[in-house]
Amino acid sequence: MEEYIMELPAQLSQSQRSKLMIILTFVLVISTMNTTMFNVALPAIGKQFSLSPSQTGWIVTSYLIIYAVGSVIYGKLADQYKLKNLITIGITLMSLGSLVGFFAFNYPSLIIARVMQAAGASVLPASAMIIPTRYFTPETRGRALGMTSAGLTFGIAIGPIIAGLVTTAFNWNYLFIIPLLQFLCIPAFRTYLGDEKIGKQTKIDFIGAFLLVATIVSFMLAVSQSSLLFLIAFLIFLTLFIWRMKSATNPFIYPDLFKNKAYTLTLLTFALGAGVAFALPYLSPLMFQGVNHLSPFASGLFMFPGAMIAALLAKTGGKLADTKGNSTLAYITIVLFLIAFGTLSFIAGGSPYLVMIVLVFGYVAQTQFQIAMANTLSNTLSKEQTGIGMGLFMLVNFIASSIAGTFMGKALSSSANTSLNPFHLATDGIEYSNIYVILTIIVVIIAILYTIVLKTTRKP
């Protein structure tokens, strides 16, 4: 691993690496905005095409499913093919999808556009993990991961606000123009990324890839649709995928990856943290609108400070991980999560200004936790497993968010008369308070798991 670490960083100067990270951060901002902007536009799209709520939901769901699957596929391909070529193909496909979306004249063409966008844009979350891991040494990797996390967080923060302005001033189809800005960055990626191929080029296990995609898609549909049929399909595809992984000569994912105890435990810990963190962008607007009776635009403004501060502090967190170790940053984020969710369990449904302040702790924790776990995970991987290993890291983020969203949605739909926190201060928002109590307990479990992770990794 050490020989590999010294190879790629030496190919670029410090100035070139800095420019590469600025370009990567920019495209991540645009990419993340593209996942959240259309949430604001769904009512207008539904009205124009006379769609039912379930149909409009697929405009978002189809994108997220393909985006999640693509992050793993690109991660695997990055182990055998030039990363700069994959990014070129991905951004080009995303741009073509954006053009189709801008001229979409009916519902099917709009869905096709979103699928094309996701199929291309999903190269970016994989690249956000792979580039810092490949091109930066362990002593500087935290800063690079901090920049990518800042881009992801800022995109989440600014997406709904930009979408509200664009749809108000123009029309929802103009949202497809914004992602086209990424196309301008292709020359920079081709300049700064090298021609390296990390692993030996072997025949792609297309059967294994298909079974993996089918497993992921059926699972996410089972979760999002609460469907027994999709759950059965998931179990069947999962069984077939495990069989293929063990029996194929060159499987799409080598089983040795999951025999790596440090990697598996770190991935599990991150999954819990990603699910917990999803409560911030998911529950906050629902509580602001449903309990505090704020408009969607006002809800976005109350959430913006927390996400913005988290983005500004992301690089600082990366420096902390580089100088004091990943474990220091991870435990700080766990404390911040405890402060955020513990406090929210008291004030849920109360003053939105007070909630806005507390959300700052949560958003900072969310961003820094991803930095700490990505850095920890990268130290558990060999050079041949970097792409697929970090691709699975991003996949887990999407899956954990989907599961968390489903459970939290069901919790909100059930009427709660008793508060799990006897000191809950507001008269309304009991359901939200109860969810925050449970999230606080899960954060304690995360702290225990991460302590176990540290015992299985050589480097903190």
Side-chain angles (χ1 to χ4, degrees):
M1 185 69 177
E2 291 299 325
E3 179 182 355
Y4 162 66
I5 286 172
M6 293 305 296
E7 290 173 358
L8 293 182
Q11 293 181 8
L12 297 179
S13 66
Q14 178 60 42
S15 175
Q16 289 174 322
R17 287 197 296 268
S18 298
K19 292 176 181 177
L20 174 61
M21 290 309 303
I22 291 173
I23 296 298
L24 178 60
T25 302
F26 173 76
V27 297
L28 286 173
V29 170
I30 303 298
S31 176
T32 309
M33 285 174 57
N34 199 38
T35 64
T36 59
M37 288 189 302
F38 284 87
N39 294 336
V40 177
L42 290 182
I45 295 173
K47 183 178 181 180
Q48 179 172 332
F49 293 135
S50 301
L51 304 176
S52 66
S54 61
Q55 287 177 310
T56 57
W58 274 104
I59 296 172
V60 174
T61 302
S62 61
Y63 186 95
L64 291 177
I65 290 175
I66 301 300
Y67 198 71
V69 170
S71 65
V72 180
I73 301 298
Y74 280 115
K76 173 64 176 181
L77 295 177
D79 286 333
Q80 298 188 28
Y81 298 95
K82 298 176 184 179
L83 183 59
K84 67 179 182 182
N85 288 346
L86 295 177
I87 291 177
T88 300
I89 293 170
I91 292 180
T92 301
L93 181 58
M94 181 277 306
S95 300
L96 291 174
S98 298
L99 290 175
V100 172
F102 181 75
F103 295 104
F105 57 90
N106 58 20
Y107 178 64
S109 62
L110 181 59
I111 293 296
I112 291 173
R114 290 293 281 167
V115 168
M116 290 178 65
Q117 276 191 318
S122 55
V123 71
L124 297 173
S127 301
M129 298 294 108
I130 294 172
I131 289 177
T133 302
R134 286 185 179 176
Y135 288 90
F136 291 79
T137 64
E139 294 77 21
T140 60
R141 193 176 298 156
R143 295 174 176 85
L145 289 169
M147 289 189 67
T148 60
S149 295
L152 293 169
T153 304
F154 184 71
I156 292 173
I158 200 69
I161 296 176
I162 295 296
L165 294 174
V166 171
T167 53
T168 300
F170 302 99
N171 192 32
W172 61 264
N173 61 309
Y174 280 87
L175 295 177
F176 283 101
I177 296 296
I178 297 174
L180 290 174
L181 295 173
Q182 293 176 324
F183 192 78
L184 302 175
C185 299
I186 289 179
F189 282 117
R190 300 198 64 82
T191 298
Y192 296 121
L193 294 178
D195 294 322
E196 71 284 340
K197 298 177 183 178
I198 302 304
K200 295 180 180 179
Q201 189 166 335
T202 59
K203 186 177 179 181
I204 297 293
D205 178 19
F206 289 104
I207 296 177
F210 168 77
L211 291 174
L212 175 62
V213 170
T215 301
I216 296 169
V217 171
S218 59
F219 177 78
M220 295 189 71
L221 288 174
V223 172
S224 62
Q225 305 296 319
S226 299
S227 169
L228 178 60
L229 181 62
F230 282 122
L231 177 61
I232 294 173
F234 159 69
L235 295 175
I236 293 174
F237 284 124
L238 177 63
T239 302
L240 291 174
F241 174 70
I242 294 174
W243 167 80
R244 181 67 183 181
M245 187 169 55
K246 292 181 177 180
S247 61
T249 304
N250 295 303
F252 191 78
I253 298 179
Y254 284 90
D256 288 346
L257 180 63
F258 298 107
K259 293 178 182 179
N260 182 340
K261 186 178 179 181
Y263 175 83
T264 304
L265 281 175
T266 305
L267 206 62
L268 175 60
T269 305
F270 175 68
L272 287 176
V276 165
F278 185 69
L280 298 166
Y282 179 77
L283 289 180
S284 300
L286 294 177
M287 186 169 64
F288 282 140
Q289 296 173 45
V291 181
N292 299 114
H293 307 294
L294 300 177
S295 68
F297 183 71
S299 299
L301 291 179
F302 273 94
M303 296 168 61
F304 179 75
M308 186 64 192
I309 292 173
L312 293 174
L313 292 178
K315 193 171 182 180
T316 301
K319 292 180 180 178
L320 181 63
D322 289 337
T323 56
K324 301 296 183 180
N326 299 320
S327 58
T328 300
L329 181 62
Y331 283 123
I332 289 175
T333 63
I334 289 172
V335 172
L336 292 177
F337 270 136
L338 289 173
I339 293 174
F341 293 127
T343 305
L344 287 171
S345 72
F346 285 92
I347 65 173
S351 168
Y353 293 96
L354 185 56
V355 172
M356 178 181 68
I357 295 173
V358 176
L359 286 178
V360 173
F361 293 92
Y363 273 113
V364 171
Q366 178 186 29
T367 304
Q368 306 294 352
F369 185 77
Q370 182 170 348
I371 296 170
M373 298 309 296
N375 217 352
T376 301
L377 197 77
S378 67
N379 290 331
T380 69
L381 294 168
S382 65
K383 65 179 182 179
E384 294 84 5
Q385 296 175 329
T386 301
I388 187 64
M390 300 310 287
L392 286 171
F393 177 84
M394 296 305 296
L395 172 66
V396 162
N397 188 17
F398 296 121
I399 292 179
S401 298
S402 298
I403 295 174
T406 299
F407 281 115
M408 286 185 285
K410 290 182 177 180
L412 290 177
S413 62
S414 61
S415 56
N417 297 320
T418 304
S419 176
L420 297 178
N421 184 346
F423 302 103
H424 177 230
L425 302 176
T427 55
D428 296 321
I430 293 177
E431 296 90 349
Y432 293 94
S433 174
N434 290 344
I435 294 175
Y436 289 130
V437 170
I438 295 173
L439 292 176
T440 303
I441 295 173
I442 296 177
V443 172
V444 174
I445 296 174
I446 291 172
I448 296 172
L449 270 178
Y450 188 73
T451 302
I452 297 174
V453 165
L454 290 181
K455 296 179 180 179
T456 61
T457 54
R458 296 181 179 178
K459 297 181 179 181

